[in-house]
Amino acid sequence: MTSSAPIIILHRPQLGENIGSAARAMLNFGLTELRLVSPRDGWPNPAADTLSAGAFQAGVSVGVFETVEAALADLGTVLATTARPRGMEKDVVDAAGGVQLIQARAQKTGILFGAENHGLPSEVVGLADAILTYPVNPSFASLNLAQAVGVFCASWGASQGAVGRWEGEKAGVEPPASKEDLIRMFEHLEEELERAGYFYPPDKTPLMKTNIRNAFIRGNWTTQEVRTFRGAIKALAHGRGKARVVRDD
Amino acid sequence: MTSSAPIIILHRPQLGENIGSAARAMLNFGLTELRLVSPRDGWPNPAADTLSAGAFQAGVSVGVFETVEAALADLGTVLATTARPRGMEKDVVDAAGGVQLIQARAQKTGILFGAENHGLPSEVVGLADAILTYPVNPSFASLNLAQAVGVFCASWGASQGAVGRWEGEKAGVEPPASKEDLIRMFEHLEEELERAGYFYPPDKTPLMKTNIRNAFIRGNWTTQEVRTFRGAIKALAHGRGKARVVRDD
């Protein structure tokens, strides 16, 4: 967890369940500081504990404040989440844009989320440096509070190398097969197909081979997978009783 | 909602609350097809209705399947969500990468999510074209099921122009003030500050002015805001009793 992770601030939250779920989502994505402004049911709240999956014990700290001004006092940058722009002269960012803004400013940052029933009052939005909103379905725009927190936290998490990023990588432990191994596999396959009378008419054979090779190449196979498939080719060729000679390399 | 929005598939979900919350998050971001594979408590489920905020009535359809194979039968591309890679030879993408993959393939797509307690069995992950995972906190990696659905849906939603995107735009309805208006405002302010003896020592005056101008320019004010502030300057200058002459342009 980087020390610069934003602080999540819930303004007058109503349901302990949402506070707990928000804390769980925060810690899932490496955020550890939660501030509550006048939570309706006080604090601590057993319903929050139940839904937190242990997040409060595992690292999320909670500060309780009477006023939003007190909760924001030590922050440099504040984003206020709203379901839609309020006609205010503020930048409006989505989750990814919000993360970019926070990183560009590199200040202690808080993300404000409003109550379940009314969202943030305009005077609270007015305290923020920018508005954070999500491109939602206009006819079903009301997000659950914990979901709204989770969507932001996931964007933050995705920007943090520290918690891991796997985009475009391979899950497997084995490196891909060498092209040499692949080509031998292709030759093996084609030889057996040839023997089986598969390639017809002869003038289409090169194109048919290329199409097959392309299909296999996309799979990006490992050495083991190549080995396995060569065994399969051998078995198929034997099984059908058409191969007189079986390669053994 | 585009017709190509992915289908969300919950494999053996346990809690109706999570099914309902997932449906709400889906519809928030424009996804409308939910499939359930052997939901533990059957279907329909009153707990799901309660947490859905009306999503089932407002547009989310539900199909119930006995097997995962049946639930995937008509799909071209399937992503399986897991908390971490399984050592399988599959591409691994995060939420944004998953959306890119789906859009590149442009096939009917399903996103598989596992049960609350065990996630997806490996044989189900094996049916998928790629693994979807989020860069989570390794020491607190277990997402709530509905949160996991919501994070993907938000990424999908953010990629869809149809549901609106505001990144970098202005929320306000007024255009910014012209530079001419701004410069007149600066001159007004500086004239009054000059009169008030603010600029001292004289050789620092140009730098002080530049610093002030820079601070104001960052605000990207509207004409109305310039007008308002000029009224404020005037008032301040009068109020302090230091202004002999008040500009009136």
Side-chain angles (χ1 to χ4, degrees), chain A residues 24 27-28 88-89 91-92 94 133 135-137 140 142-144 146-147 163-166 168-169 171-172 225, chain B residues 24 27-28 88-89 92 94 133-137 140 142-144 146-147 163-166 168-172 225:
Chain A
R24 177 178 179 179
L27 195 54
N28 284 148
M88 290 189 192
E89 291 299 330
D91 282 331
V92 179
D94 65 6
T133 193
V136 290
N137 179 347
F140 198 80
S142 171
L143 265 72
N144 167 264
Q147 282 281 2
V163 289
R165 183 134 215 224
W166 298 288
E169 276 181 35
E225 288 163 338
Chain B
R24 177 178 179 180
L27 195 54
N28 285 149
M88 290 189 193
E89 289 300 330
V92 179
D94 65 6
T133 194
Y134 306 137
V136 290
N137 180 348
F140 198 78
S142 171
L143 265 73
N144 167 266
Q147 282 281 1
V163 290
R165 183 135 217 223
W166 299 288
E169 276 182 34
K170 279 282 170 191
E225 288 164 338

Side-chain angles (χ1 to χ4, degrees), chain A residues 152-190:
Chain A
F152 171 79
C153 293
S155 266
W156 172 261
S159 75
Q160 298 298 296
V163 289
R165 183 134 215 224
W166 298 288
E167 185 177 348
E169 276 181 35
K170 279 283 169 189
V173 288
E174 278 213 23
S178 68
K179 285 288 176 278
E180 184 188 8
D181 282 351
L182 259 191
I183 289 166
R184 279 209 208 143
M185 181 187 87
F186 290 143
E187 289 169 348
H188 183 182
L189 175 63
E190 289 157 8

Side-chain angles (χ1 to χ4, degrees), chain A residues 10 12-13 25 45 54 85 90 93 142-143 145 147 179 187 195 198 203 241:
Chain A
L10 306 185
R12 301 188 178 283
N45 181 327
K90 285 188 196 299
V93 292
S142 171
L143 265 72
L145 172 56
Q147 282 281 2
K179 285 288 176 278
E187 289 169 348
R195 236 185 265 283
Y198 172 86
D203 63 312

Side-chain angles (χ1 to χ4, degrees), chain B residues 151-210:
Chain B
V151 166
F152 171 79
C153 293
S155 267
W156 173 261
S159 76
Q160 299 298 296
V163 290
R165 183 135 217 223
W166 299 288
E167 184 179 348
E169 276 182 34
K170 279 282 170 191
V173 289
E174 276 211 25
S178 68
K179 285 289 176 277
E180 183 187 9
D181 281 349
L182 260 190
I183 289 166
R184 280 211 206 141
M185 182 186 87
F186 290 144
E187 289 170 350
H188 183 182
L189 176 62
E190 290 158 7
E191 191 178 316
E192 293 296 354
L193 289 173
E194 202 99 62
R195 234 185 265 283
Y198 172 86
F199 294 113
Y200 186 86
D203 62 315
K204 289 273 172 64
T205 300
L207 180 62
M208 292 170 81
K209 287 183 176 175
T210 300

Side-chain angles (χ1 to χ4, degrees), chain A residues 69-119:
Chain A
E69 289 81 1
L72 305 183
D74 61 332
L75 304 180
T77 297
V78 173
L79 306 190
T81 53
T82 77
R84 68 200 69 204
R86 309 283 188 104
M88 290 189 192
E89 291 299 330
K90 285 188 196 299
D91 282 331
V92 179
V93 292
D94 65 6
V99 170
Q100 285 169 3
L101 185 154
I102 292 166
Q103 292 180 322
R105 288 203 171 186
Q107 297 172 329
K108 194 168 181 180
T109 298
I111 317 293
L112 263 168
F113 293 85
E116 289 89 337
N117 52 351
H118 294 117

Side-chain angles (χ1 to χ4, degrees), chain A:
Chain A
M1 312 307 93
T2 62
S3 61
S4 63
I7 296 160
I8 299 297
I9 306 163
L10 306 185
H11 185 254
R12 301 188 178 283
Q14 302 182 289
L15 297 171
E17 287 84 350
N18 284 333
I19 301 172
S21 296
R24 177 178 179 179
M26 285 173 61
L27 195 54
N28 284 148
F29 295 106
L31 288 84
T32 55
E33 190 171 346
L34 176 63
R35 296 182 180 182
L36 306 176
V37 179
S38 291
R40 186 191 63 185
D41 300 335
W43 192 259
N45 181 327
D49 270 332
T50 305
L51 271 284
S52 72
F56 298 116
Q57 289 72 45
V60 173
S61 70
V62 180
V64 181
F65 296 80
E66 278 192 29
T67 66
V68 69
E69 289 81 1
L72 305 183
D74 61 332
L75 304 180
T77 297
V78 173
L79 306 190
T81 53
T82 77
R84 68 200 69 204
R86 309 283 188 104
M88 290 189 192
E89 291 299 330
K90 285 188 196 299
D91 282 331
V92 179
V93 292
D94 65 6
V99 170
Q100 285 169 3
L101 185 154
I102 292 166
Q103 292 180 322
R105 288 203 171 186
Q107 297 172 329
K108 194 168 181 180
T109 298
I111 317 293
L112 263 168
F113 293 85
E116 289 89 337
N117 52 351
H118 294 117
L120 288 172
S122 289
E123 64 270 22
V124 173
V125 177
L127 298 171
D129 296 276
I131 288 174
L132 172 64
T133 193
Y134 306 137
V136 290
N137 179 347
S139 63
F140 198 80
S142 171
L143 265 72
N144 167 264
L145 172 56
Q147 282 281 2
V149 171
V151 166
F152 171 79
C153 293
S155 266
W156 172 261
S159 75
Q160 298 298 296
V163 289
R165 183 134 215 224
W166 298 288
E167 185 177 348
E169 276 181 35
K170 279 283 169 189
V173 288
E174 278 213 23
S178 68
K179 285 288 176 278
E180 184 188 8
D181 282 351
L182 259 191
I183 289 166
R184 279 209 208 143
M185 181 187 87
F186 290 143
E187 289 169 348
H188 183 182
L189 175 63
E190 289 157 8
E191 193 178 311
E192 294 295 354
L193 289 174
E194 202 99 60
R195 236 185 265 283
Y198 172 86
F199 294 114
Y200 186 86
D203 63 312
K204 289 273 173 63
T205 300
L207 180 62
M208 292 170 81
K209 287 183 177 175
T210 301
N211 288 345
I212 291 170
R213 287 181 175 213
N214 277 340
F216 278 96
I217 280 177
R218 269 206 312 277
N220 199 21
W221 283 6
T222 65
T223 308
Q224 179 55 53
E225 288 163 338
V226 167
R227 211 176 293 134
T228 300
F229 187 63
R230 292 196 60 176
I233 298 168
K234 219 182 268 189
L236 288 173
H238 273 298
R240 285 202 322 223
K242 293 202 176 169
R244 301 279 179 272
V245 179
V246 177
R247 288 177 58 157
D248 206 317
D249 60 341

